[in-house]
Amino acid sequence: MAPLLNAADEAEWFSRIAGLADSWGFDRLMVAMVPRPTIRREDAYLRSTYSPDWQRAYDEQGMVHIDPTVAHCATRSSPLMWAPDIFTTEPQQSMYEVARAHGLRAGVTLPIHGPNQEAGMMCFVNDCEPNEAFWRHVDAALPKLVLLRDMVIDTAQRHLESHAQTLLPKLTPRERECLKWTARGKSTWEISQILSCSEAVVNFHMKNIRTKFGVNSRRAAAVIATQLGLIDPD
């Protein structure tokens, strides 16, 4: 696994991960991580060798909200061996039928809970019947898969940061100032005096800020901006 530490770029990094998974007998792999708690699951960092058609169907139908592997990883740290019997509800069974048509029949999912509040999963999957031989194979490979999962968390940091940056709201300098003073508890009138502008101008910037953050209040936007490191209220 040492080459992961020296991968020149993201493409080489993921190629080496997929190569290890394949050498251990898993022909499909997925790495999915949410870099920060404020980022939606739909905006997770995701790299896989899954069928693009499957990924498209998964996204378009919002399967992330019914996927039992996602629910498991949100609250557990132990591996999840999965096969048809974990897809219990009718929507989940329909989901599994589509997955199976794209070569995702049985696998093991390892939850990711990183040191910087990263959350996600790694899935190692085969297009084979989930029989006793497959489960023996998973049991034998599991220690290596767990170690690879931990290596991936450590070596993914620069890729996660780059992904997170693409999701950050793009603020103008004046919007950033308005948010900073909002975080310090200043009113609209006080901010207008500090910035030498009218209250209408401050309200205009605040409306744009709320839209960019998808929230209904300036206070909520200021909290999120602080959490994301976009402003320093101190």
Side-chain angles (χ1 to χ4, degrees):
M1 299 185 195
L4 284 182
L5 299 171
N6 302 315
D9 53 31
E10 185 182 25
E12 181 184 350
W13 174 79
F14 183 71
S15 176
R16 293 186 183 279
I17 297 168
L20 285 169
D22 185 66
S23 71
W24 296 335
F26 297 93
D27 51 24
R28 289 169 176 80
L29 165 77
M30 183 187 72
V31 177
M33 281 188 267
V34 176
R36 300 185 178 115
T38 53
I39 293 176
R40 303 181 310 158
R41 288 176 177 174
E42 291 86 350
D43 292 328
Y45 172 87
L46 190 149
R47 297 293 181 271
S48 81
T49 58
Y50 290 2
S51 160
D53 289 339
W54 157 250
Q55 196 60 57
R56 190 177 304 109
Y58 189 95
D59 293 339
E60 290 176 352
Q61 298 177 36
M63 294 183 191
V64 66
H65 300 294
I66 63 169
D67 189 340
T69 66
V70 172
H72 174 91
C73 292
T75 58
R76 306 287 295 276
S77 296
S78 57
L80 173 67
M81 314 292 190
W82 58 266
D85 57 350
I86 76 163
F87 299 86
T88 55
T89 67
E90 185 173 336
Q92 288 174 346
Q93 290 168 0
S94 297
M95 170 187 167
Y96 180 72
E97 288 303 311
V98 179
R100 189 174 66 173
H102 290 93
L104 307 175
R105 289 177 178 264
V108 56
T109 294
L110 304 182
I112 288 176
H113 300 287
N116 300 310
Q117 296 186 289
E118 305 92 342
M121 65 173 71
M122 285 188 71
C123 296
F124 302 87
V125 191
N126 266 358
D127 185 13
C128 69
E129 292 300 325
N131 52 32
E132 287 300 318
F134 177 73
W135 299 128
R136 286 196 300 270
H137 171 71
V138 170
D139 284 342
L142 195 55
K144 292 184 288 188
L145 301 183
V146 170
L147 179 56
L148 178 58
R149 185 268 314 272
D150 293 345
M151 287 283 289
V152 165
I153 294 173
D154 284 347
T155 56
Q157 293 305 313
R158 59 174 172 157
H159 310 312
L160 291 177
E161 183 59 30
S162 176
H163 177 71
Q165 288 298 319
T166 67
L167 301 173
L168 294 179
K170 302 299 186 290
L171 299 175
T172 67
R174 186 49 63 96
E175 288 170 350
R176 202 178 296 270
E177 285 185 310
C178 288
L179 265 184
K180 180 186 70 174
W181 290 112
T182 296
R184 293 183 182 180
K186 301 299 183 181
S187 67
T188 299
W189 181 83
E190 289 172 320
I191 295 173
S192 72
Q193 295 302 300
I194 293 168
L195 301 181
S196 300
C197 64
S198 69
E199 291 183 65
V201 169
V202 174
N203 286 330
F204 171 79
H205 290 309
M206 289 301 183
K207 180 181 179 181
N208 289 339
I209 288 167
R210 292 196 303 272
T211 299
K212 289 180 179 182
F213 281 90
V215 296
N216 294 322
S217 77
R218 63 181 67 183
R219 301 291 181 188
V223 169
I224 295 172
T226 301
Q227 292 173 338
L228 295 177
L230 293 175
I231 60 171
D232 182 3
D234 297 329

